[in-house]
Amino acid sequence: MIKLDVLKYKKFAFIFSLLFIVIGIVVFIVAGGFNKGIDFGSGYSETFQIAPLGFSMSYTGKRSATLSVSDNTLVLQFRDADGVEDHKFPSTEYPKSGDVAAALSSLGLNVTLADSGLSTENLVSGFGYPSTLSSTPHRVNFSTPEVDVTIEDVREAVSNLKGAKVQTVGDKNKAQFQVRIVLDEGEGQEEAGEKVESALSSYFGGEKLVVLQSNYVGPKFSASLLRSSLLAVLIAFVLILLYISIRFRLAYALSSIIALIHDVLMMLSFVVIFRLEVSGTTIAAVLTIIGYSLNNTIVIFDRVRENIKNNKGAVVYDMVSLSVRQSFTRTFITTLTTLFAIVPLAIFGSGDIKLFAINLIWGLVIGAYSSSFIAPCLVMLFHKFFPIDKIKEKKEEEEYSLVD
C-alpha cells in the first residue's frame, strides 16, 4: 500500500485547481468565449476529397439508368417496364479507368475519357452515389497518392469564407479534408454549400472535387442543442446528489457534487486554454468523465465508511487518509488501462473521434486527481458541519445536552 497522506496536500491541490480554473476564465474572456463547433454555433461543414477525374458520362436513353459503387465495383442498373438489368464492373476484371469507360460506352452511354491509367481499386465513392444518370455529365474520380494537396492549400482556397476552419480527415494520402464555415444572416444550406464548392473548385478545379459528406446546423437547432446539453448535465448532478445523499450522508453528497463541478470546470478550462472545439463530443466527454470520476469517488467513500465502521473510536482524519491509500492503486491502474485504449485514438484518430479522445484523456487524469485529492479533502471540510461518524454525532448530542 502506498504511504501517502493526501490530506496534507489539500492546500496545494486547492491552489492548483483554483489557479487552472482562473486561467481558463481569463482566457475565456480574452478570447471571446469558446471555440464553438457548428453543433453549438450555426454553420455548415463539408467533407471532400481531391481526386483526379477518370471519365465523365451522360445518358439520354429511354430507360432509367442508375450508377452506384460497392466494394470497388461500379454497378450500372437499367430499369424499364420489362424489369431490371444490372451490369457490374469489378476492379479485378476492369483494372484501369479506361477499361471501365470502354465497357460503359459499349452499353450506350456517352463517355468522355479524361485519364485511362487510373486504378479502379481507388474508385472514389462520393456523396453523389447512387446517381441517376441523365444528359448532365456525371464525373467518376479515382484517388491516387500522386495528388499533392496539403491542408495549407485548402486553407488558402477557403480563406475568404467567414470563420473557415480546415482539418484533415481519413487517410492523409487520399487528400481528404473537412471545411467548416460560419453562416451569414439568413443563409441556408444550399447557399452555403455552393459557396464552399465554388471556392474549392476555383482553386483545385471542379472536375477534381468530390463531396463526401455535408452537414448543416441552423441557429435555432444549435441553440436548442445547447440548452438540451446543459439540461442533461444539470439533471445528472441532481440525480447524483440524491443518490449519494440516500446511500451515504450529506457530507459525502456535497463533496461529490463539488468535486464533479470541479472536474467540469477543469475540463472546460482545458478546452478554452488550448482552444479546442466545443461540440457534441465535448458534452459526451464531460458526461463520461462525470460517471468515471463519480465511480472512483464512491469507491473511496465506501472504503471510508467501512473503515470508520470497523475501527470504532478511530480518528476520522486517519480513516479518510487510510481509505485513499487503500484505493490509490486501484484508481491508478484503472486510469492507466483506460488511457491505453484512449491515447491511440488521440494520436491516430481524426475529426470528432480525435477531439473526443483528447478531452477524455485530460478528463481521466483530472477525474483520478479529484477523486483521490479534492473529494477526500472536501469530506474532511464538511465533516465539521455534517459529521460522517455516528460516534462523533452521539458525543456532540451529549455535549449539547450537558450545556442545556
Side-chain angles (χ1 to χ4, degrees):
M1 181 170 53
I2 297 176
K3 295 182 179 180
L4 177 66
D5 185 3
V6 298
L7 299 180
K8 288 184 178 180
Y9 302 97
K10 62 181 180 181
K11 290 184 179 179
F12 296 101
F14 289 155
I15 291 174
F16 167 73
S17 296
L18 182 61
L19 184 61
F20 193 86
I21 292 172
V22 169
I23 293 174
I25 294 173
V26 172
V27 175
F28 178 85
I29 295 172
V30 173
F34 291 110
N35 177 23
K36 293 187 291 186
I38 63 170
D39 293 356
F40 298 133
S42 58
Y44 174 84
S45 73
E46 185 169 288
T47 304
F48 65 94
Q49 183 173 358
I50 303 300
L53 175 65
F55 55 86
S56 60
M57 69 180 79
S58 61
Y59 178 69
T60 56
K62 295 181 179 181
R63 293 186 294 178
S64 171
T66 304
L67 192 70
S68 60
V69 178
S70 176
D71 297 328
N72 292 327
T73 299
L74 202 64
V75 180
L76 176 65
Q77 186 178 83
F78 290 110
R79 286 177 176 270
D80 58 14
D82 296 328
V84 178
E85 181 182 319
D86 286 337
H87 299 274
K88 297 183 178 181
F89 309 95
S91 58
T92 53
E93 298 179 21
Y94 302 86
K96 298 297 180 182
S97 55
D99 301 327
V100 180
L104 291 170
S105 182
S106 67
L107 293 173
L109 277 71
N110 303 314
V111 181
T112 302
L113 186 62
D115 191 335
S116 62
L118 299 173
S119 174
T120 53
E121 289 184 353
N122 298 321
L123 181 64
V124 175
S125 176
F127 187 55
Y129 289 103
S131 173
T132 300
L133 301 179
S134 64
S135 57
T136 302
H138 173 83
R139 300 194 308 267
V140 179
N141 297 72
F142 301 82
S143 63
T144 173
E146 284 73 31
V147 174
D148 185 18
V149 177
T150 65
I151 193 170
E152 287 74 20
D153 295 330
V154 180
R155 285 173 178 157
E156 184 177 348
V158 297
S159 58
N160 293 327
L161 301 182
K162 183 179 179 181
K165 298 176 183 177
V166 181
Q167 67 183 45
T168 303
V169 297
D171 191 341
K172 295 182 179 179
N173 296 323
K174 291 187 177 181
Q176 295 178 346
F177 303 92
Q178 183 183 73
V179 172
R180 298 189 180 192
I181 64 169
V182 177
L183 299 176
D184 291 325
E185 185 71 26
E187 187 174 27
Q189 182 175 4
E190 186 175 347
E191 295 86 351
E194 290 177 354
K195 187 165 61 176
V196 172
E197 291 176 27
S198 175
L200 295 172
S201 297
S202 62
Y203 191 91
F204 297 107
E207 74 282 353
K208 295 181 180 179
L209 177 65
V210 182
V211 178
L212 303 177
Q213 185 180 9
S214 63
N215 292 299
Y216 171 83
V217 177
K220 290 184 179 180
F221 179 79
S222 62
S224 174
L225 183 61
L226 179 60
R227 288 194 299 270
S228 299
S229 300
L230 294 176
L231 182 61
V233 175
L234 180 60
I235 291 174
F237 278 135
V238 172
L239 293 177
I240 289 167
L241 180 62
L242 291 174
Y243 166 72
I244 300 180
S245 297
I246 295 172
R247 178 172 175 179
F248 294 93
R249 291 183 167 228
L250 185 59
Y252 293 114
L254 292 175
S255 301
S256 299
I257 289 297
I258 294 176
L260 292 179
I261 294 174
H262 160 272
D263 294 345
V264 173
L265 292 177
M266 292 289 279
M267 171 79 81
L268 295 179
S269 297
F270 175 78
V271 169
V272 169
I273 292 171
F274 293 95
R275 305 308 296 161
L276 299 179
E277 187 178 90
V278 177
S279 63
T281 57
T282 307
I283 300 301
V286 168
L287 292 175
T288 301
I289 293 308
I290 286 176
Y292 180 89
S293 178
L294 179 63
N295 178 64
N296 282 339
T297 302
I298 287 179
V299 169
I300 294 174
F301 285 174
D302 195 51
R303 184 65 66 118
V304 171
R305 186 174 60 177
E306 289 299 315
N307 282 332
I308 290 177
K309 180 180 178 181
N310 296 331
N311 297 275
K312 295 181 179 180
V315 179
V316 172
Y317 179 100
D318 294 336
M319 293 300 97
V320 172
S321 183
L322 174 64
S323 301
V324 175
R325 291 199 302 271
Q326 290 174 336
S327 306
F328 191 82
T329 301
R330 174 209 173 269
T331 302
F332 176 77
I333 293 177
T334 303
T335 303
L336 189 62
T337 52
T338 309
L339 287 175
F340 284 155
I342 301 299
V343 169
L345 292 177
I347 297 175
F348 302 108
S350 62
D352 290 339
I353 292 179
K354 184 181 184 70
L355 183 63
F356 176 76
I358 293 174
N359 287 328
L360 206 56
I361 288 172
W362 174 252
L364 288 170
V365 174
I366 289 302
Y369 156 73
S370 69
S371 60
S372 298
F373 285 84
I374 301 298
C377 293
L378 289 172
V379 164
M380 287 305 305
L381 179 65
F382 286 114
H383 172 63
K384 297 178 181 179
F385 308 98
F386 309 103
I388 61 176
D389 184 1
K390 290 184 178 180
I391 295 177
K392 181 177 179 181
E393 280 184 324
K394 186 176 181 180
K395 288 181 178 178
E396 288 179 347
E397 288 176 0
E398 291 175 352
E399 290 175 358
Y400 184 75
S401 299
L402 290 174
V403 171
D404 290 343

